[in-house]
Amino acid sequence: MSDAAKPTVELRDVRLSFDEKEVLAGVSLSVPPRSRLVVLGQSGGGKSTLLRLILGLLRPSSGEILFNSLKVTRMGRLRLNRMRQKIGMVYQYSALISSLSVRDNLALPLEELTTKSRSEIDHLVEEKLALVGMSDARDKMPAELSGGMRKRIGLARGIIMDPELILYDEPTAGLDPVISAVIDELIISLSEKIGATSIIVTHEMGSAFKVATHMAMLYQGRIIASDTPENFKASTHPVVAQFIAGDTQGPILQATPS
Ligand SMILES: Nc1ncnc2c1ncn2[C@@H]1O[C@H](COP(=O)(O)OP(=O)(O)OP(=O)(O)O)[C@@H](O)[C@H]1O
Ligand SMILES: [Mg+2]
């Protein structure tokens, strides 16, 4: 297999239980370089858990997770930290530090993890703010921003280190349709501009089909479908079809644990 064909992220039969509950029951997934994989799944189904496993914030009970062919599951703290410098995480609620200005929120990873000078850092901060159309917010505090603006700043911070991989947890949840569309376009243009691979967890079907180059559905702890968006849309798999249509009738409701 050539280098270009190697998956950026690979999960091999990953299992994870919290106490008695098995959240992931053998997840296998392969994310090709520069793709945008949308992961669909029920609330509480383990999607955020999946992202935390990839970042090495959680360890699986069994199975392997690989980032650029390196086993995340075998890494110690030092190598995990080095790997995380190549991964950008965009959190659902932006997770900005409220006591720091927008500029300082974005500069923080650069100050802590690199030896760049202040002017180099300022330049990078301005570049990323421009990418998300938020140059004017440089000196604002997070509390002065709307939810949609915070999301865009969260995005800018997620890509400040020019990551090879960007993980998005519900990037458009709770936003109005126009801002959602802006965020969707940003996800696409960022992945194209910096050549990153993206994994996007979302409930919003419109966003999912707009941004995805690949789709996977997590259901009852397993990936039950992994395909192109076109094939997902045409899927006759009862669970996939029901989820995409947002139908109340079908296997999902019957199988929902009480
Ligand atoms: N640290 C933890 N300790 C115990 N249980 C946990 C922990 N993290 C997650 N869980 C459980 O694992 C399951 C999956 O959680 P997760 O947050 O991954 O779901 P999700 O698919 O992201 O849901 P949502 O769409 O609502 O964000 C849930 O039942 C949750 O309660
Ligand atoms: Mg979640």
Side-chain angles (χ1 to χ4, degrees):
M1 197 160 53
S2 74
D3 253 20
K6 269 194 214 155
T8 304
V9 176
E10 207 183 338
L11 280 81
R12 295 183 186 155
D13 200 24
V14 169
R15 289 167 190 270
L16 179 66
S17 299
F18 288 118
D19 307 318
E20 302 288 272
K21 194 166 176 261
E22 191 170 51
V23 176
L24 302 179
V27 168
S28 294
L29 197 60
S30 180
V31 189
R34 305 178 79 105
S35 63
R36 292 187 297 274
L37 171 74
V38 166
V39 178
L40 302 174
Q42 284 173 286
S43 193
K47 303 178 302 298
S48 297
T49 299
L50 207 65
L51 299 183
R52 297 176 68 205
L53 282 165
I54 294 168
L55 276 168
L57 296 171
L58 282 174
R59 302 257 183 196
S61 317
S62 69
E64 290 288 1
I65 298 163
L66 294 95
F67 172 68
N68 284 339
S69 306
L70 298 173
K71 286 182 177 159
V72 179
T73 26
R74 305 274 168 89
M75 289 180 191
R77 199 155 49 101
L78 218 63
R79 288 178 65 211
L80 273 176
N81 283 339
R82 211 178 306 143
M83 175 192 80
R84 286 186 196 133
Q85 294 183 27
K86 298 179 187 159
I87 305 180
M89 176 77 197
V90 179
Y91 294 91
Q92 180 170 359
Y93 299 107
S94 312
L96 300 173
I97 299 172
S98 58
S99 59
L100 297 181
S101 70
V102 165
R103 184 263 169 209
D104 290 347
N105 263 282
L106 264 61
L108 197 61
L110 294 167
E111 283 164 354
E112 290 194 334
L113 303 168
T114 73
T115 54
K116 291 185 192 304
S117 69
R118 187 175 172 98
S119 70
E120 283 174 310
I121 290 177
D122 279 331
H123 175 76
L124 285 169
V125 167
E126 263 154 44
E127 183 186 278
K128 298 313 189 235
L129 284 177
L131 267 180
V132 300
M134 292 292 298
S135 300
D136 292 348
R138 187 186 177 280
D139 298 315
K140 290 206 183 333
M141 299 303 284
E144 297 176 82
L145 306 171
S146 72
M149 292 160 116
R150 260 180 245 152
K151 280 232 139 127
R152 283 195 269 171
I153 302 299
L155 232 76
R157 189 190 49 188
I159 57 160
I160 196 78
M161 301 277 289
D162 286 329
E164 274 175 54
L165 172 67
I166 313 176
L167 307 176
Y168 296 91
D169 200 350
E170 308 270 3
T172 56
L175 299 181
D176 78 48
V178 177
I179 293 292
S180 292
V182 170
I183 300 276
D184 290 340
E185 275 158 29
L186 269 172
I187 292 172
I188 297 170
S189 73
L190 289 175
S191 85
E192 286 170 356
K193 271 183 199 154
I194 62 178
T197 306
S198 310
I199 302 179
I200 305 118
V201 162
T202 184
H203 279 134
E204 326 268 319
M205 286 306 133
S207 293
F209 282 105
K210 206 150 111 195
V211 303
T213 61
H214 296 68
M215 282 184 156
M217 172 131 190
L218 183 64
Y219 184 65
Q220 294 186 337
R222 291 190 177 82
I223 300 294
I224 56 159
S226 173
D227 215 325
T228 60
E230 294 73 29
N231 287 343
F232 251 79
K233 209 170 256 173
S235 177
T236 54
H237 189 300
V239 172
V240 176
Q242 184 189 354
F243 196 84
I244 289 173
D247 214 327
T248 55
Q249 300 294 309
I252 294 180
L253 212 59
Q254 291 164 20
T256 302
S258 57

